[in-house]
C-alpha cells in the first residue's frame, strides 16, 4: 500500500525520478530494510540544509492512530535511542525505532512533486490496507 505524507516546504522537482540509492550500514548500529529513493534523499538533504543543522537524521516511525489503526511519522531527530536501527543514504541518515522495524521491513520512501501532489510517499509491502484518505494503514 502506498501512503502519502504531505510536505509543506516548497521546492524540489521530481525530474530525478525515483532512482533507488543503496543505503549502507552505519558502524556500531543495527540496520533496517527501509529504502530511500534518490529523489527523497535529495529532498531530505535540502530540508536539512534549510534547517542549518548537520546533527539531524530522518526518523521514520509507526504509531497507533488514524482511521486504520497505524500512522507513519516522519520527522527530524537529533537522537539515536537504544535499539534504533540506522542506515545512511548518500549522507542522509534514516533511523527507525526497534518497535517500528518489523512494520517497515521493505518499505520504500519516495518524494513526489507534481501539480496534483507534493509530499513523501511510503510504499509498504507490510500494509494490509489503508484508509480512504491514505494517511493510515493496518
Amino acid at each position: 500500500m502506498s501512503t502519502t505524507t504531505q510536505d509543506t516546504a516548497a521546492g524540489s522537482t521530481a525530474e530525478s525520478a525515483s532512482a533507488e540509492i543503496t543505503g549502507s550500514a552505519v558502524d556500531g548500529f543495527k540496520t533496517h530494510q527501509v529504502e530511500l529513493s534518490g529523489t527523497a534523499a535529495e529532498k531530505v538533504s535540502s530540508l536539512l540544509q534549510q534547517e542549518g543543522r548537520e546533527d539531524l537524521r530522518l526518523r521514520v516511525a509507526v504509531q497507533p492512530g488514524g482511521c486504520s489503526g497505524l500512522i507513519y511519522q516522519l520527522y527530524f531527530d537529533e537522537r539515536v535511542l537504544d535499539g534504533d536501527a540506522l542506515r545512511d543514504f548518500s549522507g542522509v541518515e534514516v533511523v527507525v525505532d526497534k518497535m517500528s522495524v518489523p512494520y517497515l521491513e521493505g518499505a520504500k520512501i519516495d518524494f513526489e512533486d507534481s501539480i496534483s501532489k507534493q509530499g513523501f510517499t511510503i510504499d509498504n509491502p507490510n500494509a494490509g490496507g489503508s484508509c480512504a484518505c491514505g494517511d493510515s494503514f493496518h
Side-chain angles (χ1 to χ4, degrees):
M1 297 263 98
S2 183
T3 301
T4 301
T5 302
Q6 294 301 317
D7 177 38
T8 56
S12 176
T13 63
E15 290 176 9
S16 57
S18 295
E20 294 290 324
I21 57 174
T22 304
S24 59
V26 176
D27 288 339
F29 292 97
K30 296 176 189 172
T31 192
H32 57 75
Q33 297 305 311
V34 175
E35 294 295 330
L36 192 66
S37 74
T39 304
E42 287 174 16
K43 183 62 176 178
V44 171
S45 182
S46 171
L47 291 170
L48 287 171
Q49 286 178 352
Q50 288 176 19
E51 288 290 321
R53 294 186 52 191
E54 296 179 12
D55 63 331
L56 298 176
R57 296 164 186 85
L58 177 65
R59 181 172 290 276
V60 183
V62 173
Q63 301 286 322
C67 314
S68 294
L70 297 170
I71 58 173
Y72 297 109
Q73 298 283 314
L74 278 78
Y75 57 95
F76 293 128
D77 197 349
E78 61 198 19
R79 303 166 299 149
V80 177
L81 305 172
D82 188 37
D84 281 348
L86 192 64
R87 280 179 78 190
D88 183 272
F89 294 87
S90 298
V92 173
E93 290 184 344
V94 177
V95 63
V96 179
D97 65 271
K98 66 181 175 183
M99 299 302 286
S100 298
V101 167
Y103 293 104
L104 296 169
E105 189 78 18
K108 296 180 191 231
I109 301 173
D110 197 5
F111 183 80
E112 185 174 336
D113 189 1
S114 68
I115 195 164
S116 62
K117 182 186 340 181
Q118 181 184 40
F120 289 96
T121 60
I122 299 175
D123 184 16
N124 188 350
N126 303 304
S130 66
C131 62
C133 67
D135 287 337
S136 66
F137 71 100
H138 62 272

